[in-house]
Amino acid sequence: MAVEFARLGASVAVASRRAEHQAAGVEAVLAAGGKAAAVTVDVRDPESVAAAFDDAENALGPVTVLVNNAAGNFPVPAEDLSPKGWRAVTDIVLDGTFSALRNSPAGAIAAGGGAAS
């Protein structure tokens, strides 16, 4: 998705907890002729999410599109998934999605914080 956005002229913030994921994403966007920035984020931490949006905007300008694809995957039968594993999945997939949307420019608009440009 990041490469296609870059091919269409978008600047792309590649956000991840892991530097190697950020580097691979940025490299792919640059190879497609786009502009990219690496942003560190842990979607389980709302403050980290808010800081990531600030970092992305400082590097690339206003965020106008959010592709929220963070996931926690444990490919095991449900009966073998521990409660800790389940919490990791819900912290990332459910709480992380909520936090990203809540902290995104669209979330600010919905809360009465301004309009999109």
Side-chain angles (χ1 to χ4, degrees):
M1 282 187 274
V3 168
E4 188 61 21
F5 274 110
R7 284 184 356 86
L8 295 170
S11 298
V12 179
V14 179
S16 177
R17 289 182 301 148
R18 300 176 70 180
E20 62 269 22
H21 292 164
Q22 295 168 10
V26 167
E27 182 179 322
V29 168
L30 295 176
K35 181 177 177 185
V39 176
T40 301
V41 66
D42 182 345
V43 298
R44 299 169 296 181
D45 177 3
E47 291 179 7
S48 177
V49 173
F53 276 107
D54 290 343
D55 292 345
E57 289 194 344
N58 287 335
L60 301 170
V63 174
T64 58
V65 174
L66 170 64
V67 176
N68 192 353
N69 67 340
N73 297 307
F74 299 96
V76 299
E79 62 270 15
D80 295 336
L81 183 61
S82 71
K84 182 178 179 182
W86 175 252
R87 282 189 301 278
V89 170
T90 60
D91 283 352
I92 295 167
V93 176
L94 298 177
D95 297 340
T97 298
F98 172 79
S99 185
L101 291 171
R102 181 83 172 144
N103 284 286
S104 73
I109 293 165
S117 58

